[in-house]
Amino acid sequence: MSVVTRFAPSPTGFLHIGGARTALFNYLFARRHGGRYLLRIEDTDLERSTPEAVAAIHDGLNWLGLDGDGDAVSQSARAPRHIDVAEELLKAGHAYRCYLTPEELAAMREEARSTGQKITSPWRDADPATAPDRPYTVRLKMPLDGETTISDGVQGDVTVAHSTLDDLVMLRGDGSPTYMLAVVVDDHDMGITHVIRGDDHLNNAFRQIKIIEAMGWETPHYAHIPLIHGADGAKLSKRHGALSATAYRDMGFLPDAMCNYLLKLGWSHGDDEIISRDDAISWFGFDGIGKAPARFDTDKLTSLNAHYIRSMTPEALAGLILEGKDAPAHIIERLTMLAPAFAERAQLLGDLPKIGGFATHDDVPALDDDAKPLLDDDACARLHQFAADLPDGDMTPEELKTWLGGWLDQNNLKMRDIGPCLRAAVTGMKQTPDIVMIAASLGPAVLRKRIEGNCKK
Ligand code: GLU
């Protein structure tokens, strides 16, 4: 059997973290089995679905590298097919027209609430000849006795008694198909073999299976994954302040870090923390998915992001430090040399220009407030001496270190007498990576200019 999975978001808002994780699991499961991963936009709720939300979902998936295989299916465009299926079920006697008015239904619901019973429509077994001339819904006839067990890939065997399932509405009073019907028909027509989705849909699965059985179709495998909760344990939902996937892009997270984090959120492979996409594809399975809700932890995401930033090439890091701006060759060369050291200190992409901005030009950098006190008169006098004695040619960090060692000895100074003030004068900052490496990369002319600029005589 060739595996086909799908991600089926409702475009009523952005792609949220839970949706992104569902997409990832569907993607990984399909890739793991050499199958297909499809995207279906469940836009049947025309009042709440917007083109902006569809675009935002595509944008989020594209950022994460989780675009579906082939074109996305629009559920609303398939309404005629959904209606055909309901008609077929009517003809075969698996469904009936229910003429309950909204008022009658409301009264029955009220009663059902107090008795704890499900609603039973009197039209289920009524003679069609007695049908009034008014709008009707089409309901599926649920079996009255027995039970259904789903062998869920994550939840295990879950059993529900049919007596608890009411006759689900497949076509509304205005003739439009419901979500419950549309999902089943689309999954069948798209050849979906594995339905992987949030466990808030587990209850729906028992109802959906009854449509599948009535049509004589094959039931897909189900895997209902626990929802994601916030760090405080409360449910994370798009209506309760949860952020979009792309909000994390805008905050400076890398898509690889995000995917690694989402993968680890509710799935594990031993103690592995850093998992490449290729490894995830070879390892992913339902057995690694936990049954308890996962807690979203921004600190963990941030530390993974720092790891993925450190793994970038010096050239890519240099581009990020420059924030996409052009720079002369000697600047690119300097940034490429310093970038790995800068990356050690970055957690978010936006940290890189803050850490390395001083190296993107040759001008005198402005002094941070905490760097200013390091440049008192004594320090500046030492720096002027240093600038005057510094040889003219470029030096490697090792050569500069050797020269500096001799210079400190001659002047009866220690590294702590020159390091902090040199760092302040030439970078404008109190804290940076190794100052000797930085000084070597700036070269004597820039060092002198910056010392003069920040230590005016
Ligand atoms: N459209 C549903 C949702 O966004 C998902 C339905 C499904 O996966 O079966 O919650």
Side-chain angles (χ1 to χ4, degrees):
M1 179 186 61
S2 131
V3 165
V4 186
T5 64
R6 74 344 182 242
F7 175 51
S10 305
T12 54
F14 42 63
L15 175 70
H16 57 104
I17 290 302
R21 189 188 59 166
T22 301
L24 177 66
F25 285 10
N26 275 284
Y27 166 92
L28 291 175
F29 191 77
R31 291 288 178 274
R32 164 86 180 84
H33 296 280
R36 281 163 57 74
Y37 153 74
L38 309 178
L39 179 63
R40 180 172 72 233
I41 303 293
E42 304 215 309
D43 50 358
T44 44
D45 185 346
L46 293 174
E47 263 159 39
R48 292 179 56 221
S49 303
T50 64
E52 292 75 28
V54 176
I57 288 168
H58 282 296
D59 184 29
L61 291 175
N62 180 265
W63 176 59
L64 293 167
L66 297 174
D67 291 314
D69 298 334
D71 288 342
V73 170
S74 153
Q75 189 159 65
S76 62
R78 294 179 36 81
R81 164 71 176 148
H82 304 147
I83 294 168
D84 282 350
V85 169
E87 300 287 346
E88 204 177 318
L89 289 169
L90 265 178
K91 266 197 214 107
H94 290 302
Y96 61 96
R97 296 183 174 88
C98 172
Y99 294 91
L100 285 174
T101 63
E103 296 73 35
E104 286 170 334
L105 204 53
M108 286 176 78
R109 283 224 178 89
E110 191 61 35
E111 201 193 318
R113 210 167 293 141
S114 58
T115 60
Q117 298 286 308
K118 66 173 184 177
I119 295 172
T120 312
S121 167
W123 293 100
R124 178 175 167 125
D125 298 311
D127 178 356
T130 63
D133 182 20
R134 63 169 185 244
Y136 57 84
T137 59
V138 173
R139 288 182 184 267
L140 184 75
K141 281 188 188 167
M142 283 292 175
L144 299 173
D145 308 314
E147 55 188 31
T148 291
T149 299
I150 291 180
S151 293
D152 190 272
V154 176
Q155 312 285 337
D157 284 356
V158 187
T159 301
V160 161
H162 294 153
S163 58
T164 64
L165 305 177
D166 46 20
D167 291 346
L168 74 87
V169 175
M170 296 188 293
L171 296 184
R172 297 188 190 90
D174 63 2
S176 63
T178 59
Y179 158 74
M180 290 292 262
L181 173 65
V183 166
V184 169
V185 177
D186 290 349
D187 280 347
H188 170 263
D189 291 2
M190 291 164 73
I192 303 302
T193 59
H194 291 75
V195 170
I196 307 167
R197 60 188 176 187
D199 67 7
D200 48 339
H201 287 283
L202 179 59
N203 280 331
N204 288 341
F206 289 95
R207 294 176 167 79
Q208 291 163 358
I209 282 176
K210 295 302 148 194
I211 304 180
I212 297 171
E213 288 172 357
M215 287 301 291
W217 292 339
E218 200 165 324
T219 309
H221 297 276
Y222 291 102
H224 287 95
I225 48 186
L227 299 181
I228 301 174
H229 286 189
D232 58 358
K235 199 175 150 191
L236 191 77
S237 78
K238 37 186 163 177
R239 280 183 218 146
H240 291 101
L243 293 173
S244 66
T246 46
Y248 290 90
R249 169 184 66 193
D250 301 342
M251 282 186 266
F253 289 95
L254 287 163
D256 284 347
M258 195 72 202
C259 282
N260 191 150
Y261 181 67
L262 290 174
L263 175 64
K264 287 287 300 155
L265 199 57
W267 179 85
S268 55
H269 182 268
D271 291 333
D272 290 320
E273 290 292 338
I274 308 289
I275 303 176
S276 69
R277 183 159 291 202
D278 284 348
D279 283 342
I281 288 172
S282 8
W283 296 338
F284 187 76
F286 300 145
D287 45 352
I289 301 178
K291 282 194 195 179
R295 285 192 183 206
F296 193 85
D297 179 345
T298 310
D299 290 346
K300 272 197 189 148
L301 170 61
T302 307
S303 80
L304 274 172
N305 203 53
H307 166 85
Y308 280 92
I309 290 178
R310 289 196 297 274
S311 321
M312 294 176 83
T313 63
E315 290 73 19
L317 289 165
L320 287 165
I321 296 166
L322 283 165
E323 296 179 280
K325 290 190 281 280
D326 280 342
H330 78 281
I331 297 285
I332 307 268
E333 197 182 322
R334 178 194 297 162
L335 290 177
T336 310
M337 171 178 159
L338 295 175
F342 293 155
E344 288 294 326
R345 293 164 179 249
Q347 295 191 307
L348 300 171
L349 293 180
D351 293 340
L352 287 167
K354 286 184 208 147
I355 297 168
F358 74 87
T360 61
H361 58 81
D362 291 338
D363 300 333
V364 179
L367 295 174
D368 286 351
D369 283 346
D370 60 357
K372 282 178 191 159
L374 298 170
L375 295 175
D376 59 15
D377 289 347
D378 283 353
C380 280
R382 285 194 296 277
L383 285 172
H384 284 301
Q385 183 67 48
F386 168 86
D389 294 345
L390 190 66
D392 276 337
D394 278 332
M395 288 188 263
T396 64
E398 292 70 34
E399 287 164 349
L400 178 58
K401 194 170 172 213
T402 308
W403 175 84
L404 189 61
W407 184 84
L408 289 171
D409 284 350
Q410 267 168 23
N411 292 279
N412 225 349
L413 293 171
K414 296 268 178 270
M415 189 60 196
R416 64 169 179 274
D417 299 318
I418 194 76
C421 59
L422 179 63
R423 171 178 288 118
V426 304
T427 70
M429 296 189 288
K430 190 179 174 187
Q431 279 167 356
T432 67
D434 178 28
I435 185 58
V436 174
M437 174 181 66
I438 287 172
S441 79
L442 292 172
V446 174
L447 290 176
R448 285 196 191 101
K449 178 172 162 185
R450 291 185 173 191
I451 288 169
E452 270 155 38
N454 277 327
C455 274
K456 300 224 168 56
K457 278 184 188 152

